[in-house]
Short mmCIF file of all heavy atoms in Angstrom, two decimals:
data_model
loop_
_atom_site.label_atom_id
_atom_site.label_comp_id
_atom_site.label_asym_id
_atom_site.label_seq_id
_atom_site.Cartn_x
_atom_site.Cartn_y
_atom_site.Cartn_z
N HIS A 1 -171.79 -44.62 27.01
CA HIS A 1 -171.67 -44.50 28.48
C HIS A 1 -170.41 -45.10 28.97
O HIS A 1 -169.74 -44.41 29.89
CB HIS A 1 -172.97 -45.27 29.08
CG HIS A 1 -172.87 -45.11 30.57
ND1 HIS A 1 -172.30 -46.17 31.31
CD2 HIS A 1 -173.23 -44.23 31.49
CE1 HIS A 1 -172.40 -45.83 32.62
NE2 HIS A 1 -172.96 -44.74 32.75
N ASP A 2 -170.01 -46.21 28.57
CA ASP A 2 -168.85 -46.80 29.11
C ASP A 2 -167.55 -46.54 28.41
O ASP A 2 -166.50 -47.17 28.66
CB ASP A 2 -168.94 -48.34 29.24
CG ASP A 2 -169.95 -48.66 30.28
OD1 ASP A 2 -170.10 -47.94 31.32
OD2 ASP A 2 -170.77 -49.70 30.10
N ALA A 3 -167.67 -45.76 27.30
CA ALA A 3 -166.51 -45.53 26.41
C ALA A 3 -165.47 -44.59 26.95
O ALA A 3 -165.77 -43.61 27.82
CB ALA A 3 -167.03 -44.84 25.04
N GLN A 4 -164.19 -44.81 26.73
CA GLN A 4 -163.19 -43.86 27.10
C GLN A 4 -163.11 -42.83 25.98
O GLN A 4 -162.99 -43.19 24.78
CB GLN A 4 -161.87 -44.52 27.31
CG GLN A 4 -161.82 -45.50 28.49
CD GLN A 4 -160.48 -46.15 28.71
OE1 GLN A 4 -159.69 -46.29 27.68
NE2 GLN A 4 -160.29 -46.79 29.76
N PHE A 5 -163.08 -41.58 26.22
CA PHE A 5 -162.96 -40.58 25.28
C PHE A 5 -162.39 -39.34 25.82
O PHE A 5 -162.27 -39.11 26.98
CB PHE A 5 -164.37 -40.28 24.67
CG PHE A 5 -165.36 -39.69 25.69
CD1 PHE A 5 -165.33 -38.27 26.08
CD2 PHE A 5 -166.27 -40.50 26.32
CE1 PHE A 5 -166.24 -37.85 26.93
CE2 PHE A 5 -167.20 -39.99 27.12
CZ PHE A 5 -167.20 -38.63 27.53
N MET A 6 -162.00 -38.47 24.78
CA MET A 6 -161.36 -37.11 25.17
C MET A 6 -162.13 -36.09 24.21
O MET A 6 -162.33 -36.38 23.04
CB MET A 6 -159.94 -37.05 24.89
CG MET A 6 -159.33 -35.81 25.12
SD MET A 6 -157.45 -35.87 25.02
CE MET A 6 -157.22 -36.53 23.46
N VAL A 7 -162.56 -34.97 24.83
CA VAL A 7 -163.20 -33.91 23.93
C VAL A 7 -162.04 -33.21 23.23
O VAL A 7 -161.21 -32.79 23.90
CB VAL A 7 -164.08 -33.05 24.75
CG1 VAL A 7 -164.74 -31.93 23.88
CG2 VAL A 7 -165.14 -33.78 25.43
N ILE A 8 -162.19 -33.10 21.93
CA ILE A 8 -161.09 -32.50 21.19
C ILE A 8 -161.56 -31.29 20.43
O ILE A 8 -160.56 -30.47 20.12
CB ILE A 8 -160.41 -33.47 20.08
CG1 ILE A 8 -161.39 -33.94 19.17
CG2 ILE A 8 -159.80 -34.61 20.89
CD1 ILE A 8 -160.71 -34.76 17.97
N ALA A 9 -162.86 -31.08 20.23
CA ALA A 9 -163.29 -29.86 19.57
C ALA A 9 -164.62 -29.43 19.96
O ALA A 9 -165.43 -30.40 20.47
CB ALA A 9 -163.17 -30.04 17.99
N ARG A 10 -164.98 -28.24 19.65
CA ARG A 10 -166.32 -27.72 20.15
C ARG A 10 -166.82 -26.78 19.05
O ARG A 10 -166.06 -25.99 18.62
CB ARG A 10 -166.20 -27.08 21.54
CG ARG A 10 -167.53 -26.57 22.01
CD ARG A 10 -167.33 -25.91 23.33
NE ARG A 10 -168.63 -25.62 23.91
CZ ARG A 10 -168.84 -25.15 25.09
NH1 ARG A 10 -167.74 -24.86 25.93
NH2 ARG A 10 -170.09 -24.87 25.49
N ARG A 11 -168.18 -26.88 18.94
CA ARG A 11 -168.83 -25.91 18.16
C ARG A 11 -169.81 -25.12 19.03
O ARG A 11 -170.86 -25.57 19.37
CB ARG A 11 -169.68 -26.40 16.92
CG ARG A 11 -170.25 -25.37 16.05
CD ARG A 11 -170.73 -25.98 14.71
NE ARG A 11 -171.33 -24.86 14.05
CZ ARG A 11 -171.50 -24.91 12.69
NH1 ARG A 11 -171.15 -26.02 12.13
NH2 ARG A 11 -171.98 -23.98 12.13
N ASP A 12 -169.45 -23.81 19.47
CA ASP A 12 -170.10 -23.20 20.48
C ASP A 12 -171.49 -22.79 19.97
O ASP A 12 -172.43 -22.75 20.80
CB ASP A 12 -169.35 -21.97 20.91
CG ASP A 12 -168.04 -22.27 21.57
OD1 ASP A 12 -168.10 -23.04 22.61
OD2 ASP A 12 -166.98 -21.62 21.21
N ASP A 13 -171.65 -22.40 18.78
CA ASP A 13 -172.98 -22.01 18.35
C ASP A 13 -174.12 -23.01 18.27
O ASP A 13 -175.30 -22.69 18.14
CB ASP A 13 -172.92 -21.23 16.97
CG ASP A 13 -172.42 -22.18 15.81
OD1 ASP A 13 -171.85 -23.18 16.22
OD2 ASP A 13 -172.69 -21.69 14.61
N GLN A 14 -173.70 -24.30 18.37
CA GLN A 14 -174.66 -25.31 18.31
C GLN A 14 -174.54 -26.40 19.49
O GLN A 14 -175.22 -27.35 19.48
CB GLN A 14 -174.63 -26.14 17.00
CG GLN A 14 -174.89 -25.30 15.76
CD GLN A 14 -174.81 -26.03 14.51
OE1 GLN A 14 -174.71 -27.29 14.51
NE2 GLN A 14 -175.04 -25.29 13.41
N ASP A 15 -173.70 -25.99 20.51
CA ASP A 15 -173.42 -26.94 21.59
C ASP A 15 -173.03 -28.31 21.11
O ASP A 15 -173.44 -29.32 21.78
CB ASP A 15 -174.70 -27.05 22.44
CG ASP A 15 -174.81 -25.77 23.32
OD1 ASP A 15 -173.90 -25.17 23.67
OD2 ASP A 15 -175.98 -25.50 23.72
N ASP A 16 -172.35 -28.41 20.12
CA ASP A 16 -171.78 -29.73 19.64
C ASP A 16 -170.37 -29.88 20.07
O ASP A 16 -169.59 -28.87 20.07
CB ASP A 16 -171.85 -29.88 18.12
CG ASP A 16 -173.24 -29.91 17.60
OD1 ASP A 16 -174.11 -30.15 18.41
OD2 ASP A 16 -173.53 -29.62 16.38
N VAL A 17 -170.00 -31.07 20.32
CA VAL A 17 -168.60 -31.40 20.67
C VAL A 17 -168.13 -32.55 19.89
O VAL A 17 -168.95 -33.47 19.36
CB VAL A 17 -168.46 -31.74 22.20
CG1 VAL A 17 -168.57 -30.45 23.06
CG2 VAL A 17 -169.24 -32.82 22.59
N LEU A 18 -166.87 -32.67 19.59
CA LEU A 18 -166.26 -33.85 18.90
C LEU A 18 -165.40 -34.54 19.89
O LEU A 18 -164.44 -34.05 20.57
CB LEU A 18 -165.46 -33.30 17.69
CG LEU A 18 -164.82 -34.38 16.83
CD1 LEU A 18 -165.93 -35.17 16.07
CD2 LEU A 18 -163.92 -33.73 15.72
N LEU A 19 -165.61 -35.86 20.02
CA LEU A 19 -164.83 -36.74 20.85
C LEU A 19 -163.84 -37.58 20.06
O LEU A 19 -164.27 -38.11 18.98
CB LEU A 19 -165.83 -37.69 21.70
CG LEU A 19 -167.00 -37.18 22.41
CD1 LEU A 19 -167.77 -38.23 23.06
CD2 LEU A 19 -166.70 -35.89 23.23
N GLU A 20 -162.71 -37.89 20.65
CA GLU A 20 -161.88 -38.94 20.15
C GLU A 20 -162.01 -40.06 21.05
O GLU A 20 -161.75 -40.03 22.25
CB GLU A 20 -160.43 -38.54 20.08
CG GLU A 20 -159.51 -39.51 19.42
CD GLU A 20 -158.06 -39.08 19.31
OE1 GLU A 20 -157.79 -37.91 19.81
OE2 GLU A 20 -157.30 -39.75 18.66
N LEU A 21 -162.51 -41.28 20.57
CA LEU A 21 -162.63 -42.44 21.36
C LEU A 21 -161.38 -43.24 21.42
O LEU A 21 -160.46 -43.05 20.66
CB LEU A 21 -163.75 -43.32 20.74
CG LEU A 21 -165.04 -42.70 20.49
CD1 LEU A 21 -165.99 -43.71 19.85
CD2 LEU A 21 -165.61 -42.18 21.76
N ALA A 22 -161.15 -44.11 22.55
CA ALA A 22 -159.91 -44.74 22.67
C ALA A 22 -159.55 -45.71 21.54
O ALA A 22 -158.42 -45.89 21.34
CB ALA A 22 -160.10 -45.59 24.00
N ASP A 23 -160.52 -46.15 20.74
CA ASP A 23 -160.23 -47.01 19.57
C ASP A 23 -159.97 -46.21 18.32
O ASP A 23 -159.81 -46.76 17.27
CB ASP A 23 -161.40 -47.98 19.37
CG ASP A 23 -162.86 -47.27 18.88
OD1 ASP A 23 -162.74 -46.00 18.68
OD2 ASP A 23 -163.66 -48.01 18.84
N GLY A 24 -159.95 -44.91 18.51
CA GLY A 24 -159.44 -44.03 17.35
C GLY A 24 -160.76 -43.41 16.51
O GLY A 24 -160.47 -42.55 15.74
N ARG A 25 -161.85 -43.97 16.76
CA ARG A 25 -163.01 -43.33 16.09
C ARG A 25 -163.37 -41.99 16.74
O ARG A 25 -162.79 -41.61 17.74
CB ARG A 25 -164.31 -44.26 16.25
CG ARG A 25 -164.21 -45.56 15.52
CD ARG A 25 -165.27 -46.44 15.77
NE ARG A 25 -165.54 -46.71 17.14
CZ ARG A 25 -166.71 -46.99 17.72
NH1 ARG A 25 -167.78 -47.07 16.99
NH2 ARG A 25 -166.83 -47.26 18.97
N LEU A 26 -164.22 -41.26 16.00
CA LEU A 26 -164.62 -39.89 16.50
C LEU A 26 -166.17 -40.04 16.67
O LEU A 26 -166.85 -40.75 16.00
CB LEU A 26 -164.35 -38.88 15.52
CG LEU A 26 -162.91 -38.50 15.16
CD1 LEU A 26 -162.85 -37.43 14.23
CD2 LEU A 26 -162.14 -38.30 16.49
N ALA A 27 -166.61 -39.18 17.65
CA ALA A 27 -168.14 -39.11 17.80
C ALA A 27 -168.47 -37.67 18.01
O ALA A 27 -167.71 -36.94 18.70
CB ALA A 27 -168.49 -39.88 19.11
N GLU A 28 -169.42 -37.21 17.40
CA GLU A 28 -170.00 -35.83 17.32
C GLU A 28 -171.25 -35.95 18.17
O GLU A 28 -172.09 -36.77 17.88
CB GLU A 28 -170.31 -35.29 15.97
CG GLU A 28 -170.73 -33.79 15.99
CD GLU A 28 -170.99 -33.13 14.68
OE1 GLU A 28 -170.35 -33.68 13.72
OE2 GLU A 28 -171.84 -32.24 14.69
N LEU A 29 -171.29 -35.16 19.20
CA LEU A 29 -172.42 -35.15 20.18
C LEU A 29 -173.17 -33.82 20.19
O LEU A 29 -172.27 -32.75 20.35
CB LEU A 29 -172.09 -35.71 21.48
CG LEU A 29 -171.90 -37.16 21.71
CD1 LEU A 29 -170.59 -37.60 21.27
CD2 LEU A 29 -172.17 -37.57 23.17
N HIS A 30 -174.34 -33.69 20.48
CA HIS A 30 -175.08 -32.46 20.75
C HIS A 30 -175.39 -32.47 22.15
O HIS A 30 -176.14 -33.27 22.71
CB HIS A 30 -176.24 -32.29 19.92
CG HIS A 30 -176.99 -31.08 20.09
ND1 HIS A 30 -176.53 -29.81 19.70
CD2 HIS A 30 -178.09 -30.76 20.95
CE1 HIS A 30 -177.34 -28.98 20.08
NE2 HIS A 30 -178.29 -29.46 20.87
N MET A 31 -174.76 -31.54 22.93
CA MET A 31 -174.92 -31.44 24.36
C MET A 31 -176.27 -31.00 24.69
O MET A 31 -176.83 -30.05 24.05
CB MET A 31 -173.83 -30.63 25.02
CG MET A 31 -172.44 -31.24 24.76
SD MET A 31 -171.09 -30.30 25.49
CE MET A 31 -171.39 -30.69 27.31
N THR A 32 -176.98 -31.50 25.80
CA THR A 32 -178.19 -31.02 26.26
C THR A 32 -178.13 -30.19 27.43
O THR A 32 -179.15 -29.54 27.80
CB THR A 32 -179.14 -32.26 26.47
OG1 THR A 32 -178.49 -33.04 27.66
CG2 THR A 32 -179.32 -33.14 25.29
N TRP A 33 -177.15 -30.31 28.14
CA TRP A 33 -176.90 -29.55 29.41
C TRP A 33 -177.77 -30.01 30.52
O TRP A 33 -178.16 -29.19 31.47
CB TRP A 33 -176.89 -28.09 29.16
CG TRP A 33 -175.78 -27.65 28.19
CD1 TRP A 33 -175.89 -27.34 26.96
CD2 TRP A 33 -174.43 -27.52 28.63
NE1 TRP A 33 -174.66 -27.00 26.47
CE2 TRP A 33 -173.66 -27.16 27.35
CE3 TRP A 33 -173.68 -27.63 29.72
CZ2 TRP A 33 -172.37 -26.93 27.31
CZ3 TRP A 33 -172.22 -27.53 29.69
CH2 TRP A 33 -171.62 -27.15 28.48
N ALA A 34 -178.35 -31.27 30.42
CA ALA A 34 -179.29 -31.73 31.41
C ALA A 34 -179.17 -33.13 31.41
O ALA A 34 -178.89 -33.91 30.32
CB ALA A 34 -180.73 -31.41 31.16
N ALA A 35 -179.30 -33.90 32.51
CA ALA A 35 -179.20 -35.33 32.58
C ALA A 35 -180.55 -35.96 31.89
O ALA A 35 -181.54 -35.23 31.96
CB ALA A 35 -179.21 -35.76 34.00
N SER A 36 -180.52 -37.12 31.39
CA SER A 36 -181.58 -37.65 30.68
C SER A 36 -181.55 -39.22 30.85
O SER A 36 -180.47 -39.77 31.00
CB SER A 36 -181.51 -37.38 29.27
OG SER A 36 -182.49 -38.04 28.55
N ASN A 37 -182.70 -39.79 30.99
CA ASN A 37 -182.74 -41.28 30.99
C ASN A 37 -182.98 -41.81 29.62
O ASN A 37 -182.99 -43.09 29.33
CB ASN A 37 -183.99 -41.69 31.90
CG ASN A 37 -183.71 -41.42 33.27
OD1 ASN A 37 -182.60 -41.56 33.74
ND2 ASN A 37 -184.81 -41.06 34.01
N ASP A 38 -183.02 -40.94 28.53
CA ASP A 38 -183.15 -41.29 27.22
C ASP A 38 -181.75 -41.72 26.56
O ASP A 38 -180.89 -41.03 26.57
CB ASP A 38 -183.64 -40.19 26.37
CG ASP A 38 -184.02 -40.51 24.93
OD1 ASP A 38 -183.49 -41.50 24.30
OD2 ASP A 38 -184.72 -39.78 24.28
N PRO A 39 -181.68 -43.03 26.21
CA PRO A 39 -180.43 -43.59 25.78
C PRO A 39 -179.97 -42.88 24.44
O PRO A 39 -178.82 -43.01 24.14
CB PRO A 39 -180.68 -45.02 25.57
CG PRO A 39 -182.10 -45.20 25.35
CD PRO A 39 -182.80 -44.09 26.17
N LYS A 40 -180.78 -42.10 23.78
CA LYS A 40 -180.50 -41.43 22.51
C LYS A 40 -179.89 -40.08 22.86
O LYS A 40 -179.47 -39.30 21.92
CB LYS A 40 -181.72 -41.41 21.63
CG LYS A 40 -182.19 -42.68 21.19
CD LYS A 40 -183.31 -42.62 20.32
CE LYS A 40 -183.85 -44.02 19.88
NZ LYS A 40 -185.12 -43.95 19.17
N LEU A 41 -179.90 -39.62 24.09
CA LEU A 41 -179.47 -38.28 24.32
C LEU A 41 -178.16 -38.32 25.30
O LEU A 41 -178.22 -39.17 26.21
CB LEU A 41 -180.49 -37.46 25.14
CG LEU A 41 -181.82 -37.15 24.28
CD1 LEU A 41 -182.86 -36.39 25.23
CD2 LEU A 41 -181.42 -36.39 23.11
N PRO A 42 -177.24 -37.62 25.09
CA PRO A 42 -177.08 -36.61 24.02
C PRO A 42 -176.89 -37.38 22.70
O PRO A 42 -176.20 -38.44 22.58
CB PRO A 42 -175.81 -35.78 24.28
CG PRO A 42 -175.11 -36.64 25.31
CD PRO A 42 -176.01 -37.49 25.96
N GLY A 43 -177.49 -36.75 21.58
CA GLY A 43 -177.35 -37.35 20.27
C GLY A 43 -176.00 -37.57 19.89
O GLY A 43 -175.13 -36.76 20.10
#
């Protein structure tokens, strides 16, 4: 939630995106296209 990131890649067939975090790590997320109160979403 509070991380600084940039989206660098996308997989259209699965709604997945790859983020580059400010600290150099990467995060792969599965977009839900909806707001959620679940802290595990988007995965």
